[in-house]
């Protein structure tokens, strides 16, 4: 009896990570062409991985926002203001 209960609990953890629109769009964002391009560009280059981390986060956020709009969960005019882009590590601005 305890083994059957353990097996049921173990298999319950193998289900999908979430079926909410937010979870669906979070997974869908990784299939976006812009996100894939940044990930492929970063592959094997630690310097680009640190420099493009902001660009990757922005691309994922844009892809997730577009997915939520496609599903009708976010009106077209919402989403706030685009985040401030920080300069990359080779240029820190004038001081």
């Amino acid at each position: 009896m305890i083994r059957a209960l353990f097996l049921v609990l173990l298999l319950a953890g193998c289900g999908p990570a979430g079926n909410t629109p937010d979870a669906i769009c979070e997974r869908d964002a990784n299939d976006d062409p812009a996100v894939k391009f940044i990930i492929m560009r970063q592959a094997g280059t630690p310097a680009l991985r640190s420099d493009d981390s902001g660009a990757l986060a922005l691309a994922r956020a844009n892809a997730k926002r577009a997915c939520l709009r496609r599903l009708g969960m976010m009106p077209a005019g919402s989403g706030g203001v685009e985040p401030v882009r920080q300069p990359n590590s080779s240029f820190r601005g004038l001081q």
Side-chain angles (χ1 to χ4, degrees):
M1 181 69 170
I2 292 175
R3 287 184 186 178
L5 180 62
F6 179 73
L7 183 61
V8 169
L9 291 175
L10 182 66
L11 290 176
C14 295
N19 290 330
T20 64
D22 193 50
I24 291 170
C25 289
E26 189 76 34
R27 290 188 301 266
D28 190 46
N30 289 325
D31 293 332
D32 186 67
V35 173
K36 283 184 175 182
F37 175 75
I38 293 172
I39 291 172
M40 284 190 300
R41 186 172 61 189
Q42 290 177 349
T45 310
L48 280 178
R49 200 170 297 144
S50 64
D51 286 349
D52 285 348
S53 63
L56 181 59
L58 182 64
R60 279 190 175 139
N62 288 339
K64 183 177 177 182
R65 194 175 307 119
C67 175
L68 286 171
R69 284 193 183 116
R70 252 190 338 267
L71 293 177
M73 301 305 297
M74 181 181 282
S78 66
V81 179
E82 182 178 328
V84 176
R85 296 182 187 187
Q86 298 296 325
N88 65 12
S89 63
S90 62
F91 177 74
R92 295 290 180 201
L94 302 174
Q95 306 199 353

